Structures are given as C-alpha cells and as structure tokens.
Amino acid sequence: MGGFMRAFRMSLRSLARSPGFTIPALLILAIGMTAATAIFTVVDSIVLRPLRLPDSNRLVMICEEHPRLQGYCIGSPGNVEDFRRQTHTLSDVGIGRTWPYSLDDDVGSRGIAGGLASAGFLRALGARPVLGRLYTEDEHGPDRDKVVLLSHAFWTTRYGADPDILGRTIHLDGEPYEIIGVLQEGFEAPFDLAGVPLWKPPHFDPLDPEIRSWRGFRVIGHLASDATLTSAGEELRGIYARIAQTHEEVNDEWHLRVTSLLDVVVGNTRPVLLAFLGAAALLLLIVCANVANLLLARGLGRRRELAVRAALGAERGRLVRGILGESLVLTVLATLLAVGLAEVATRLFLRFAPPMPRLDEVTMDGRVLAFAALLSVVATTFFAVLPALRVTAWDLAQTIKVGAAEAEARASARLRGALVVAELALSMVLLTSAGVLTRSFDRYVSWDPGFDRSGLLAVSAFANTGKYQSREQLFSMWRQAEARVAAVPGVTSVATASAGPLFGGGDGATPYVVEGTDETAALPSVWWFDVGPGFFHTLGVPVLEGREITEADGLGVEPVAVVNQTMARNAWPGHSAVGKTVRLPDLRGLTFRIVGVVGNVRPLTPGEAPHPEVYWSNRQNGRPATFFLVRAGGDPAALAKPVQDALLAVDPDLSLGTPRPLASTEARMLVLPRFQMLVILVFALAALALAAVGVYAVVSYAVARRVREMGIRMAIGAGASDVVALMFRSSMLLAVIGVAVGLVATLGTARIVDSVAHGVSPTDPLSLAGAALLLLGAAALAAYVPARRATRADPLRALRSE
C-alpha cells in the first residue's frame, strides 16, 4: 500500500507539472466517459434491469402472429385456455386487456377504463391481495363473473382506504358486482394496463367457438421452476399445432412465438437505445485515440529523461508501469468528473426524451458506478498501453546522445497517423448516421397526407353495452351525439370512425375476395374501418369516384363500402371499382358493394407505401366504440370541453378519451425521430470536433519536429506556399485514408442505422458525400492553421534551433 501511495503521489505531481497536457486530456476523457455513462444509465434502466414485478425474469409473453398483423402480440381466450389445461412448463398463464366500464356506486357515477383479466393473468404477474382474496377460474364466464378487485390507489382515492370495503356492491354497466379484494400497493400490470383502477374476470366462456377467433388480449405466463423459455416455446408450439388440427381459427398463416415479457415491454425502444449506446461507444473510442496521441507526444518529449532513468538502472517494465500509472490516475480523475456530469446529462436526457417504456425507472445506482469503474480501466488500456510501449522502445545510447526530435522513430509517426485515421473513420460513421437521421426526420416533417389536419379534433367514446339492447338503439344514440356535437359553436362538420390517420391505429388487415379470385390460393389483404356519413368530407380526403358513405347506408339496405385508390388499383386493375363487390371471409363473410373510391392517405412513416383500405358504414356494421372527428373553424383545442359536454349530454354513461387536436398528435409522433436525430447529431458534432483536434495536434507536432527542416527549405528559396503545401499534403492524405476507412465501416453499421431511420437508406449517397466533405473540410482547416504558422518562423532562428 505504501508503494502504491508513493506511485499515486508521483503520478499526481507529474501531471500537475504538465497542465498543458493534463487539462485538455482530462476534459476530453471526461466528455467521452460522461456520454458513455449517461447512455448506459438509460440503457441499463430500460433494457437490462428486470421489470418491477415479482420474479419478472420468469415472465413470458405468448404471441399469436399473422403476416397481416405485423407488430401485434395478441392471443385468443380459447387457445390460452387450452394452454392452461395442457401445459407443464408454465405455472400460470392468462389473458388481460383494458375494458371500459360505466361505474355506479355510493360515491357517484363515472366512466372508467378498467381491466378484464383471467385469474391466471393476475397470478402470473404476482398480484397479491392486501384485503380479501383474488378471484379464481371458477368465477369466469356468464353469470359467474360478478366479482371485482380494486387497485390499492383506487381503493385509497375513491373509497378512502375503507377497511370494510369487502362485500360492498357496485354496478358496472348496470350490473351488480361484489368487491372481493384489494391488490397490494404498487402493483402495476405492463403496457396500457398500468394504472387500471379495478379488475374483473372474463364474462364469457373462453372455449365458446365464437370466442376462439377473438384475438384481442395480452397473454402472459409464468415459467415453472424447472422450465426455460426454450422448453416453454417448444411445448406451447406443440399444443398450438394440435389446436390447429381441430379448430379452423388456427391455420397455417398463424404462428406462435414465446418471448420474455421484458423484450415485449421494451419493444421498439431497444434498437433506438442500443444505437445511442453504440454512438457513445464510438465517441469514447475517438476520445481514447485523441488522448493516446497526446500521451504519445508527451512521452516522446520525455524520452531523454526516461533514457537517463534507464541508464541509472530503471527497468523498462518499471518505466512502462509509471506511464500507465499516470494514465490510470488521469482516467480516475476523469471518471469522478464524468459520474457527476453523467447525472446532469441523464436528467437532460429524461427531460427531452419522448415517451418510452420505463422512463420513470431510470436512475444511477451501483451498477452504473461499477460500469464507470470498469470503463476507466478499459479506457486506460485503450489509450495508454501503446504509447507507453512505444516511448520506451529506444536505443539507449542514441537517445541520450541526440535530441528528442531526432530520436523519434518512424514507427512512432506511423502510430500517431494510425490513431488520427481511426478518429476520422469513427467520426465518419457518426456523421453519416447523423446525416441519414436528419434526412429521415426531414421526410417526417414534410409529410403531406393529402388533407388539412390543422383544424381537426378527435375524441374516443365507449358506450355502455348493457344500456343498449339492439343495434338500432346504439346507432340512434351515435346519430344524436353527432347532431349534438355538430351544433356546438365553432364546429363546421363532424363524423365518426373506428380509426383513422393520426387517431386510432386501425383494426388490422383481413383477406379479401373479389370476382374471379382463386380462393384456394393465398389471398391479398386489406385494412378495414367502419365510418359514419361525411367522414371523408370532414377529414378532407377527396372522393375520386362515386360517392362516400351517407346516412341512407343504414340497417335494412344493401351493405356498401368505399375503398381507397390503392385497393381499387390492386383489386380491379384497369377497371372501375364502383359497382364491384368484395367479400371478407375472415369477418363473418361480410360482403359489400363498392360505391366510391377515395384518395390515399400517405402513412406518416417515410418510405411506407399506402395500404389497401376498405371503409364500410358504421350504420350497418357499427360497434359500441368509436372516434368522433370534429372539424373546427378556429382552434380545435378550444372545442375539447364543449365537445365532451355535448357527448355526455346525450349519454352520461359514455366513457370518453382525452380530446386531442390531430396537429398536436402529429407533433407528438415526431418527438421520437427528432430526439433520435438530435442525440446522434450531438455525438457526431463532438466526434467532428475531436477529429479536428486530433488532426491539428498531429500537424502541430510534425511542424514543431520539422522546424529545422522548414528553415533550411526557406533559406534556400522555398516559398511559404511550398511549405504549407508540403505539410498540408501529408495531413490530407491521412484525412482521405480516414474517410475511406470510415465509408467501409459505415457499411458495417448499416443495419443498426436502418433500424432507427425511415425512408432513407443507411448508405444514402447524399449523407455519405456530405459527411465526407464536412470531415475533409474540418481536417483541412485543422491542418492549415499549424502549417501556415510554420511559414512565419525566421529561417536563421530555425537553423540555430538545435
């Protein structure tokens, strides 16, 4: 320990005597380590740490997947019930989803977004009652589901944490339910089920044949003690294959995937955060190359001192350890500075970050500190070992006899050049990535859907299904609600729809059949929506042929539909779609006569082609859930409260979502691509600056080493431009090599960039050319300044310099 402390003090004194080296190296290291530590904090909290659920590393998600439903992880109650009865690798498995209720109790009436979940779903997630009990599978199904569980927060806020709440009756959608339990404080189901105030069991028999095709649920299971994710996947796929033999709802197009719950929760956030971590790693490598160059220059300046020490008996290993010790002390100081700065950087990240899963869980903890400590050791190894070995490899007598400038070997110059090339190549990767993301974001911003979205407001509405005994009653209520909203001052038009651009995600895709189609072959698919009269007029989408849905398209008349331009071209190329029929075999064989063709609405995601779409009348095939789309004469946000009041005046039991102007929804959807672009751009600009510093340092060192040579050249007649050109050519050769290597390295990162950029190739020529020109320009400027300074030296003084 005494020897260690002496070495530590000697290293501190040595660094303190060289502030011109220590301060720049410390700051450069701190920048790179701050970025790496801050990004690791976010990645660790979101992607790597277990979920805040009991035994979360053994929770799995079971996904039924279909080519027409890309990105959906869903499951059928019937299939899940078969899994539950036959599985040995899962200790619990169940279904869950959100469900709107109209709540009526002693406190009053209100619409709430509750949860519908099987007993196995709650058990798998580790739900425990602090009062009462959980419900069981015996309480599933019609007339047996009249029990509810309250969340701890809902029990506290609505019922004042009343300990006598058990056994109390409340009414949901007009039906009586008994409160049988209160869940533990802090219990949160994942996804959109977080914050659910109350849970009830399924009101249907999962083995009912009509229910098996209803894949509208999340499916979560808990691995048995002796099972693994792989064994569970193999077993469940075998059960799924047996289900397919007896139930036509499972065919060759449906596939089963079993994955960890964490992977599904993190979802598309993983590639984004890993791209950030990769950018931080590249920046740290550039920092290490930069500091290695500084260490090499400092070490070469100390070669005579080191040679004298060697002549007095110091072994080479001891000298190397001394240099490494100084480097480690430098890294430890940079790490301490970086940890403090990383806390600030992480807060800034969270402040400007778009909505991401688990953002509220991002904290710096012991894992982050351990990462920072490991990072300091790795960084020291990267930037210190080669310079230490290089500067202690000498001819002892020659080094003592001649000056340091003459003693430097060509190998040292090559090492410095190689480090600069590495910096430039890594910077090229970051600059190209920033260019691709910038062009991708520009395409988001220039999105033209084909209609004016600035004056539109959307609000979702869920009707109490127990209140309306027939479709006629439900549709009549929707008509009254539309009329009441249309009468609100400032509203110019109103319509209803199941989903649409910037509001609602759509109802998915389904196969379709037109005249002359071979139904035994693979069928094309179409995205479907139910819409009300005037939908396209309110939205502003042009009717290209025929007409749109009207009030006359109601019950008791021929079912009709409108298709978009893509659907018309795909299904009836070269012919008019109006008057043709289309059948949807997977949707109860619904058949429609086409009465109109409307323009395509381009997807917001750049590069994504418009889907084929069919819209039918919600007066013929409507549902107890819809969106109200309102066109305002002024600011649509000002109509939010009046529109809600108008809807509740028609039916106080409606469960309404938050009204949102479509323009603000679009702005929120742009937050993530903008954030991705800005983060990578910050890394790229930092890399550009560091690469320029590296080129400047190399050229400055070369100029200082060749002062005598430049003096001789100028003394025998060389002009200033000749000297500048000489220094400039060698420097720009390094820059060109670095850019060329960077272009090759960019190909290796194409897949990562492609996962976060849309509508632009990761090898976009404009981005590559722009990054190369910017990097070469920065390198040229960094090389010109010291080269130009060399021409200002007095030739006579230069000749006498040594």
Side-chain angles (χ1 to χ4, degrees):
M1 181 57 70
F4 172 80
M5 292 306 297
R6 282 195 301 273
F8 181 76
R9 287 193 296 269
M10 287 178 62
S11 297
L12 280 179
R13 285 198 299 268
S14 177
L15 292 173
R17 286 195 300 266
S18 307
F21 160 78
T22 303
I23 294 175
L26 183 62
L27 292 178
I28 290 172
L29 268 177
I31 290 172
M33 298 185 73
T34 295
T37 304
I39 295 298
F40 176 78
T41 299
V42 177
V43 173
D44 178 58
S45 299
I46 295 178
V47 177
L48 304 179
R49 288 185 198 169
L51 297 170
R52 289 180 177 174
L53 288 166
D55 208 15
S56 64
N57 61 329
R58 302 196 64 77
L59 293 176
V60 299
M61 196 86 178
I62 302 169
C63 309
E64 293 187 67
E65 297 179 325
H66 195 282
R68 298 188 182 92
L69 299 171
Q70 293 292 332
Y72 285 85
C73 178
I74 52 180
S76 153
N79 296 337
V80 174
E81 179 64 13
D82 286 337
F83 293 154
R84 186 184 72 84
R85 296 185 179 191
Q86 300 179 44
T87 183
H88 298 288
T89 58
L90 299 179
S91 57
D92 278 304
V93 63
I95 56 172
R97 60 166 295 163
T98 57
W99 198 273
Y101 301 109
S102 175
L103 170 64
D104 187 7
D105 57 13
D106 296 340
V107 181
S109 299
R110 57 170 287 193
I112 62 171
L116 182 73
S118 65
F121 184 87
L122 295 178
R123 288 197 304 266
L125 290 174
R128 292 181 292 100
V130 293
L131 285 179
R133 63 177 179 86
L134 301 178
Y135 50 74
T136 67
E137 280 77 10
D138 292 336
E139 292 166 304
H140 293 185
D143 301 325
R144 294 183 296 166
D145 64 324
K146 306 305 182 187
V147 294
V148 295
L149 294 167
L150 305 180
S151 73
H152 194 279
F154 192 64
W155 171 57
T156 302
T157 56
R158 188 168 181 88
Y159 302 108
D162 182 1
D164 298 323
I165 193 71
L166 299 181
R168 186 178 302 180
T169 298
I170 62 173
H171 287 79
L172 299 178
D173 298 337
E175 295 290 326
Y177 287 83
E178 179 187 356
I179 298 174
I180 63 168
V182 176
L183 298 178
Q184 76 265 34
E185 185 175 6
F187 172 77
E188 294 281 2
F191 311 113
D192 53 346
L193 296 167
V196 162
L198 60 81
W199 299 87
K200 69 172 290 294
H203 52 274
F204 49 80
D205 178 2
L207 296 179
D208 185 333
E210 294 187 5
I211 296 296
R212 191 172 290 270
S213 61
W214 180 17
R215 293 180 171 91
F217 292 86
R218 309 268 190 182
V219 184
I220 294 178
H222 188 282
L223 291 174
S225 58
D226 58 345
T228 64
L229 185 63
T230 301
S231 64
E234 293 174 352
E235 182 198 47
L236 293 177
R237 282 189 290 272
I239 297 173
Y240 200 63
R242 293 195 294 273
I243 294 174
Q245 295 174 359
T246 54
H247 297 280
E248 62 181 12
E249 293 83 3
V250 179
N251 53 45
D252 292 340
E253 291 188 303
W254 284 100
H255 300 282
L256 194 74
R257 179 169 63 94
V258 181
T259 186
S260 72
L261 178 60
L262 175 61
D263 285 347
V264 182
V265 169
V266 174
N268 294 332
T269 303
R270 183 189 297 273
V272 173
L273 294 179
L274 292 182
F276 289 169
L277 190 60
L282 291 180
L283 182 63
L284 185 60
L285 288 175
I286 294 170
V287 163
C288 289
N290 221 310
V291 176
N293 246 329
L294 292 176
L295 276 173
L296 186 59
R298 182 170 185 261
L300 291 171
R302 299 171 61 194
R303 286 185 62 140
R304 178 172 288 182
E305 169 206 337
L306 297 173
V308 170
R309 291 169 62 186
L312 294 175
E315 297 178 354
R316 185 188 182 196
R318 184 181 183 90
L319 297 177
V320 170
R321 288 195 299 272
I323 296 174
L324 291 179
E326 290 183 12
S327 304
L328 184 58
V329 170
L330 184 67
T331 311
V332 169
L333 294 175
T335 301
L336 295 176
L337 181 60
V339 168
L341 293 176
E343 177 71 24
V344 177
T346 303
R347 290 178 183 175
L348 286 175
F349 184 98
L350 297 179
R351 179 178 179 183
F352 295 104
M356 291 182 180
R358 311 185 71 191
L359 268 186
D360 59 324
E361 300 179 30
V362 175
T363 55
M364 293 187 70
D365 59 8
R367 290 161 59 99
V368 175
L369 296 178
F371 170 81
L374 177 63
L375 195 62
S376 67
V377 175
V378 173
T380 303
T381 303
F382 264 92
F383 73 73
V385 171
L386 281 179
L389 294 176
R390 181 65 256 155
V391 300
T392 56
W394 57 68
D395 181 322
L396 180 60
Q398 182 70 10
T399 301
I400 295 176
K401 184 170 63 175
V402 303
E406 295 296 332
E408 179 183 359
R410 290 184 180 180
S412 297
R414 286 197 296 268
L415 177 57
R416 291 174 60 79
L419 291 171
V420 170
V421 167
E423 286 187 63
L424 291 165
L426 295 171
S427 300
M428 182 67 188
V429 174
L430 284 174
L431 284 169
T432 303
S433 302
V436 170
L437 287 171
T438 300
R439 287 188 24 87
S440 175
F441 179 69
D442 180 66
R443 295 198 175 187
Y444 274 104
V445 173
S446 60
W447 178 56
D448 179 14
F451 63 90
D452 179 16
R453 63 272 196 197
S454 61
L456 289 168
L457 180 82
V459 57
S460 61
F462 295 86
N464 183 341
T465 54
K467 191 172 182 177
Y468 300 96
Q469 303 303 313
S470 66
R471 289 192 298 167
E472 289 84 352
Q473 292 178 339
L474 177 64
F475 298 166
S476 175
M477 185 274 292
W478 288 140
R479 279 193 293 270
Q480 293 176 45
E482 288 179 31
R484 184 65 69 93
V485 171
V488 171
V491 173
T492 59
S493 64
V494 62
T496 51
S498 60
L502 297 179
F503 67 94
D507 295 297
T510 186
Y512 69 86
V513 178
V514 299
E515 302 94 329
T517 298
D518 179 9
E519 295 192 37
T520 61
L523 297 176
S525 59
V526 59
W527 288 76
W528 57 273
F529 308 85
D530 58 70
V531 302
F535 171 72
F536 298 104
H537 168 74
T538 300
L539 194 61
V541 174
V543 178
L544 305 178
E545 188 180 359
R547 65 175 177 86
E548 67 171 303
I549 301 296
T550 68
E551 196 65 59
D553 301 317
L555 293 170
V557 300
E558 180 186 18
V560 298
V562 170
V563 296
N564 70 344
Q565 197 172 15
T566 297
M567 170 68 174
R569 289 174 178 172
N570 290 356
W572 302 281
H575 298 84
S576 171
V578 175
K580 302 295 194 299
T581 60
V582 60
R583 184 167 63 86
L584 311 177
D586 283 7
L587 298 180
R588 306 185 309 278
L590 291 173
T591 303
F592 302 98
R593 179 173 62 85
I594 307 304
V595 297
V597 178
V598 297
N600 289 328
V601 176
R602 290 174 52 201
L604 177 61
T605 303
E608 184 178 340
H611 299 289
E613 295 173 345
V614 60
Y615 306 84
W616 62 71
S617 171
N618 62 14
R619 304 293 200 261
Q620 294 177 327
N621 290 281
R623 290 173 288 179
T626 192
F627 282 91
F628 280 80
L629 184 68
V630 179
R631 170 73 70 177
D635 180 12
L639 295 177
K641 184 65 166 58
V643 167
Q644 286 181 309
D645 292 342
L647 292 172
L648 294 175
V650 175
D651 183 355
D653 293 328
L654 283 178
S655 179
L656 302 179
T658 302
R660 299 190 185 279
L662 264 61
S664 66
T665 302
E666 179 184 355
R668 284 196 305 276
M669 295 175 73
L670 293 180
V671 169
L672 179 58
R674 180 189 293 110
F675 184 69
Q676 293 172 356
M677 176 196 69
L678 291 177
V679 171
I680 299 298
L681 187 60
V682 167
F683 283 130
L685 293 178
L688 179 65
L690 290 171
V693 168
V695 173
Y696 179 87
V698 166
V699 177
S700 295
Y701 184 82
V703 167
R705 189 173 64 87
R706 298 173 68 181
V707 167
R708 191 163 184 267
E709 174 194 341
M710 295 301 104
I712 293 173
R713 289 178 179 272
M714 294 177 70
I716 62 176
S721 59
D722 298 321
V723 172
V724 170
L726 178 66
M727 303 301 300
F728 195 74
R729 277 197 301 270
S730 60
S731 304
M732 291 309 297
L733 178 61
L734 291 178
V736 170
I737 294 174
V739 168
V741 174
L743 287 172
V744 176
T746 299
L747 301 178
T749 61
R751 181 176 297 180
I752 299 174
V753 177
D754 192 45
S755 66
V756 294
H758 300 282
V760 180
S761 168
T763 56
D764 171 50
L766 188 60
S767 299
L768 290 171
L773 290 175
L774 185 60
L775 197 55
L776 289 173
L781 180 62
Y784 176 79
V785 173
R788 181 64 181 171
R789 190 172 60 243
T791 65
R792 299 172 185 167
D794 182 353
L796 294 179
R797 293 185 61 185
L799 290 172
R800 294 195 300 265
S801 62
E802 296 198 13

